[in-house]
Amino acid sequence: MPPAVNAKSVTRNVGWSVLSKTGTFGLKFVTVPILARILSPDEFGAVAVALAAVQFLAMIGGAGFASALILQEDEDAVTVHSVFWTNLAISALLAFVIYVYAEPIAGMLGATEAAYLLRTMCLLIPLQLGGDVAYALLARRMQFSKDALWSMISESLGATIALVLALAGVGVWALVAQLFSSALIRIWGLYAVSRYRPGFAFSMRRVLALTRFSLGMMGSEVANFVTFQSPMVVISRHLGLADAGAYSAANRFSSIPNQVVLSAVMGVLFPAFSSMMHDRERRSQALMLSTQVTTVLLAPMMFGLWAVAEPAMRVLFGEQWAYAWPVLGLLAISKGILTPCSTFVPYLKGIGRGGVLFWWALLRAAVTTAAVATGALRGSLVEAMIALCIVNAIVLAGYSWIVFRADDKPFLRGFLQASRPMFTSIVMAVAVRALLDTYGHIIPNPALQMVVGILVGGVIYTVLILLTERPLLRTLMALARKTTPAATTAAAIAE
């Protein structure tokens, strides 16, 4: 039986996850711009397209078995071994298929130049799926600190290797080496700390018993993956590898805040909400508090990035990428719009609404792909990103309606309460952008423009939050007296 979820366990695990993602954030904040200065947009685009294909097939190959293991009442050895061998067999088959059919797959993705990368990167599938069982065991034991430690180590060493190789002039292979080294180090660490050793046991009956949950989870995860990766494929097919590279670089950088906050919290929220499945009042309070806090943290980062996108692109990525600053800004807006949705997926998973999550994710994937394709067909990467922003605004309303209906909360009241920090962030960002457009010529240095924009935005946002979120701040201050400040939200969720 998985250990009981309480304030102490959630607080500790969120704290470790946040520490891990913060370290990764600092690393990527440095390495992504450096690699972008050394490598060309075409090289970024080729790796991004190949990686999208590999990750998509790896997700299908996993079939959601790791998530199903987390929710099992007992840590049955035969079931665990059966999942390991199933994952290994499927991943080996998928890697073989990619290797043999690399050219047609690359052509279908609009990047025939990336076929040679697909043949190499197909080996990432067994590496990714091979660690699923070890991670599932750590997750069900609520030992996120061990996973966090090895995530930091693997990402740090992988990024260091990539930088050294890029500076040595190996080109696109620097990015490939980063992916392989990080995957190898992480899988070794997961097996070391989970103490799992594959046994020669297999039961097809037990594997099939997991599919009732795992297939539904896999379906929603695949749909979500299509949502996030389909723009890359569409852009590559219709606009070329250079635009795909610009999208990839801007997307990787603008995703860093989400990776820090959401990736750290989501893994813990899923089991936490699961423990509250039959306690409506408690889960409702946890949903609203966690949504408000993540929105307060994420929304100003995303909309603030839009406000300073032009000087930021020049300072961080260099002049060869300067033309792509509208892409960075629009991607930041598209992600900022969805910040109130940050807790909705683990909430729906945790209360057993996997079917609703699957159908909504499927609809979202189809609409997102169609919208970006429409923008790209009109001949502009910027128009494709504008279409993405419009779709995400619709997604925000739709997700909110689904979640608040499941929570028996009036839609309008719940939506306004959860989204208020996002609207506050928009006001702040518009003010900063207007100030830079009006008085930016006084500060000709892009680095100083970026710094001034960040400082002014921070002051404006702080004042607005003090005026609009006083009840939330009082709640957080009260909770801070009971636990450490860094884990306030986590403790509140579990109480």
Side-chain angles (χ1 to χ4, degrees):
M1 186 80 168
V5 178
N6 53 42
K8 182 178 179 180
S9 66
V10 177
T11 297
R12 181 179 63 251
N13 285 296
V14 168
W16 271 104
S17 294
V18 169
L19 177 63
S20 167
K21 299 304 177 182
T22 301
T24 303
F25 162 77
L27 193 65
K28 290 185 176 180
F29 186 85
V30 174
T31 57
V32 171
I34 292 176
L35 288 172
R37 285 175 175 269
I38 298 172
L39 304 176
S40 70
D42 283 351
E43 289 173 321
F44 254 90
V47 172
V49 171
L51 184 60
V54 167
Q55 289 181 331
F56 177 72
L57 292 177
M59 184 173 295
I60 293 177
F65 290 127
S67 296
L69 280 181
I70 294 173
L71 295 183
Q72 293 297 295
E73 290 187 5
D74 301 307
E75 196 172 295
D76 177 68
V78 175
T79 303
V80 174
H81 296 327
S82 299
V83 170
F84 172 82
W85 293 115
T86 301
N87 278 357
L88 185 62
I90 293 174
S91 63
L93 177 61
L94 291 174
F96 176 77
V97 169
I98 291 181
Y99 186 87
V100 172
Y101 296 101
E103 280 87 0
I105 292 174
M108 183 178 63
L109 297 174
T112 54
E113 305 94 324
Y116 74 100
L117 289 174
L118 275 174
R119 285 203 171 91
T120 301
M121 293 171 63
C122 68
L123 296 176
L124 285 170
I125 298 179
L127 288 178
Q128 291 181 353
L129 293 186
D132 274 5
V133 169
Y135 171 77
L137 295 176
L138 292 177
R140 63 176 286 110
R141 299 167 189 167
M142 295 296 286
Q143 295 177 345
F144 290 95
S145 60
K146 296 179 180 180
D147 173 60
L149 176 63
W150 279 102
S151 292
M152 283 192 291
I153 293 173
S154 62
E155 290 288 344
S156 300
L157 292 179
T160 302
I161 290 170
L163 285 177
V164 171
L165 293 177
L167 291 171
V170 302
V172 71
W173 294 107
L175 294 175
V176 176
Q178 179 182 15
L179 296 171
F180 274 96
S181 56
S182 295
L184 284 167
I185 294 167
R186 185 168 186 268
I187 193 173
W188 185 89
L190 287 177
Y191 277 93
V193 297
S194 68
R195 299 184 182 278
Y196 172 67
R197 299 295 180 270
F200 293 101
F202 183 82
S203 171
M204 180 58 70
R205 179 180 60 83
R206 300 194 185 191
V207 172
L208 293 176
L210 297 177
T211 58
R212 181 179 179 183
F213 175 83
S214 66
L215 289 179
M217 290 302 304
M218 182 196 70
S220 61
E221 292 297 332
V222 167
N224 284 328
F225 182 85
V226 171
T227 298
F228 296 121
Q229 294 296 333
S230 62
M232 172 64 64
V233 177
V234 168
I235 292 166
S236 174
R237 284 186 62 85
H238 296 292
L239 301 177
L241 277 182
D243 276 352
Y247 170 83
S248 175
N251 190 50
R252 289 180 68 176
F253 189 78
S254 62
S255 295
I256 290 174
N258 283 342
Q259 292 172 351
V260 175
V261 178
L262 298 187
S263 299
V265 173
M266 279 189 174
V268 184
L269 284 182
F270 172 32
F273 281 129
S274 298
S275 71
M276 308 174 198
M277 183 182 300
H278 304 296
D279 189 342
R280 182 199 167 277
E281 182 177 356
R282 185 164 166 245
R283 78 170 194 245
S284 180
Q285 293 174 351
L287 169 67
M288 187 53 65
L289 180 61
S290 59
T291 302
Q292 285 181 296
V293 171
T294 52
T295 306
V296 164
L297 292 173
L298 278 175
M301 297 183 194
M302 304 318 304
F303 289 103
L305 180 56
W306 166 77
V308 298
E310 184 172 7
M313 202 72 183
R314 296 178 181 277
V315 172
L316 298 174
F317 289 82
E319 288 298 325
Q320 68 168 331
W321 297 86
Y323 72 95
W325 77 262
V327 179
L328 176 63
L330 289 168
L331 276 170
I333 290 177
S334 71
K335 298 176 191 302
I337 290 170
L338 292 180
T339 49
C341 301
S342 54
T343 59
F344 291 173
V345 172
Y347 176 79
L348 290 172
K349 288 169 60 177
I351 66 172
R353 298 295 181 90
V356 174
L357 189 61
F358 167 71
W359 288 110
W360 179 249
L362 192 65
L363 177 63
R364 179 188 175 190
V367 173
T368 299
T369 304
V372 174
T374 300
L377 286 171
R378 297 177 66 177
S380 168
L381 181 57
V382 171
E383 290 188 32
M385 295 300 96
I386 291 173
L388 183 61
C389 292
I390 294 172
V391 168
N392 282 354
I394 298 172
V395 168
L396 169 61
Y399 254 133
S400 300
W401 182 79
I402 292 170
V403 168
F404 293 129
R405 183 181 180 186
D407 195 49
D408 295 326
K409 183 186 290 292
F411 166 73
L412 189 58
R413 187 178 72 183
F415 178 78
L416 292 177
Q417 186 177 354
S419 304
R420 190 166 54 225
M422 181 190 71
F423 295 127
T424 301
S425 299
I426 293 174
V427 172
M428 174 273 295
V430 170
V432 171
R433 187 65 174 267
L435 287 172
L436 288 178
D437 287 343
T438 305
Y439 302 105
H441 63 279
I442 301 176
I443 312 172
N445 187 304
L448 287 179
Q449 287 181 356
M450 186 176 69
V451 171
V452 170
I454 293 172
L455 293 176
V456 172
V459 172
I460 295 174
Y461 185 70
T462 300
V463 172
L464 291 176
I465 285 296
L466 290 174
L467 293 175
T468 60
E469 299 296 339
R470 282 176 291 183
L472 174 63
L473 294 175
R474 283 195 295 267
T475 300
L476 294 177
M477 289 179 65
L479 290 170
R481 300 188 186 101
K482 301 178 183 179
T483 185
T484 58
T488 295
T489 307
I493 292 172
E495 286 181 347

